[in-house]
Amino acid sequence: MNKRKVALITGATSGIGRATAEEFAKHGINLILCGRRQQRLDSIEKTLSKQTEVYTLNFDVRNREKTLESITSLPEEFKDIDILINNAGNAHGLDPIQSGNLDDWDAMMDINVKGLLYVSKAVIPGMTERQSGHIINIGSSAGKEVYPNGNVYCGSKHAVLAITEGMRIDLNPFGIKVTAINPGLVETEFSEVRFKGDAMADNVYKGYKALQAEDVAEVIYFAISRPVHVNIADVLMFCTAQASSTIVKKSQ
Ligand code: NDP
Ligand code: 8X3
């Protein structure tokens, strides 16, 4: 019998990460679920462990030591990570550059860029040693274009794309697949975080049908389930109503 694959998903407590965990569980992939909200990790573990083996890790990807320590302390049966989904991330604020908030800038660069690097640093050595693995970085349409007031968030996601390409080049000799999945607007807790709970967040997904987290999770599963010789390098996906970061067809 084939050994079950092991996937580590960051940001598994909500949105795209959580939907990916659910999708992978359906297909019998063993899961390491990461996030900071322990109660959510516990309740997701309780549900998904009916379908597959689940282990949870609670750490903030901004904390370099804790990130490395958590991943290196995994029990034997979860140590060989076949699939890494670098998903934890968010936007903080939507302000013009001249009035941007320094804490927001730190959060976006520290989580979306440096956090992704810390997690990757802990996982990649096992993949190079085994000469196999698949890394999926969740970028964004904001990594392919820049929109008004998107400045630093767009910068962080452009960095994710550049890092993804760098990973694909450097890990090529080891047979490791590297993929960027870049969604446009997805209806998750993303806008609640971006607008810090402000009512403005409620309007972001009104008047059209945005992508749902499950839509992205299905594409992620498609990418990881291709034959060994196929790598989906880069995906840009929008809901039908969206044509670009600034063009969204909404009902009145
Ligand atoms: P959610 O806010 O629903 O989920 C974000 C996840 O990231 C949560 O599970 C959260 O878990 C985790 N996270 C946030 N900060 C940290 C941290 N410091 N350390 C560890 N985990 C953290 O948003 P989405 O699902 O929408 O976002 C997931 C990814 O998709 C992000 O990278 C985002 O940039 C990207 N994306 C989102 C789009 C959208 O429109 N929604 C479009 C394109 C890309 P916890 O709080 O428990 O730590
Ligand atoms: C999330 C999509 O358009 O808010 O990455 O940047 S957007």
Side-chain angles (χ1 to χ4, degrees):
M1 209 176 81
N2 280 345
K3 194 172 160 268
R4 281 182 171 214
K5 293 210 163 175
V6 175
L8 183 148
I9 304 174
T10 66
T13 54
S14 166
I16 295 169
R18 182 182 184 147
T20 303
E22 290 165 357
E23 184 68 22
F24 282 13
K26 275 195 243 163
H27 292 92
I29 296 171
N30 289 344
L31 297 169
I32 303 160
L33 304 180
C34 312
R36 295 165 302 173
R37 285 170 284 182
Q38 189 60 47
Q39 277 192 339
R40 289 209 188 182
L41 286 173
D42 291 343
S43 84
I44 297 165
E45 177 180 22
K46 196 166 167 217
T47 310
L48 298 188
S49 55
K50 292 176 190 135
Q51 294 167 283
T52 192
E53 301 293 317
V54 181
Y55 193 85
T56 63
L57 289 177
N58 184 328
F59 62 90
D60 185 325
V61 296
R62 285 173 291 193
N63 184 328
R64 191 208 290 198
E65 282 71 36
K66 189 76 202 303
T67 300
L68 297 177
E69 190 188 292
S70 302
I71 296 173
T72 49
S73 74
L74 280 165
E76 213 46 53
E77 61 274 29
F78 285 96
K79 262 196 186 335
D80 291 350
I81 298 165
D82 301 292
I83 302 156
L84 165 61
I85 312 292
N86 272 319
N87 163 75
N90 251 316
H92 295 256
L94 184 68
D95 302 299
I97 197 78
Q98 62 276 18
S99 55
N101 176 301
L102 284 172
D103 290 336
D104 286 345
W105 293 358
D106 279 346
M108 290 185 278
M109 299 313 281
D110 289 349
I111 300 168
N112 302 357
V113 183
K114 289 164 68 185
L116 177 149
L117 287 169
Y118 297 159
V119 173
S120 303
K121 181 75 178 163
V123 173
I124 286 172
M127 291 185 169
T128 53
E129 200 185 309
R130 293 188 305 278
Q131 307 236 345
S132 77
H134 196 160
I135 301 173
I136 299 212
N137 293 331
I138 306 303
S140 169
S141 53
K144 297 198 173 260
E145 54 178 323
V146 178
Y147 53 83
N149 304 329
N151 43 65
V152 178
Y153 178 68
C154 295
S156 75
K157 289 299 184 178
H158 275 68
V160 168
L161 261 195
I163 291 165
T164 305
E165 287 175 24
M167 284 181 174
R168 194 178 307 117
I169 293 164
D170 295 348
L171 298 175
N172 172 270
F174 301 94
I176 296 169
K177 299 186 191 188
V178 183
T179 299
I181 306 280
N182 304 288
L185 292 151
V186 191
E187 191 170 357
T188 62
E189 292 172 19
F190 178 87
S191 293
E192 264 174 66
V193 175
R194 169 170 253 177
F195 297 112
K196 301 163 180 136
D198 189 283
M200 208 179 329
D202 297 339
N203 293 325
V204 176
Y205 309 109
K206 283 208 178 125
Y208 69 105
K209 175 85 175 175
L211 286 175
Q212 303 299 297
E214 295 72 21
D215 300 322
V216 183
E218 282 178 9
V219 172
I220 295 171
Y221 180 72
F222 177 81
I224 63 113
S225 57
R226 291 312 84 208
V228 176
H229 69 286
V230 179
N231 180 36
I232 306 293
D234 192 287
V235 174
L236 172 64
M237 59 185 292
F238 285 130
C239 65
T240 308
Q242 184 171 19
S244 73
S245 287
T246 50
I247 301 175
V248 183
K249 182 175 179 286
K250 295 189 183 184
S251 57
Q252 296 312 307

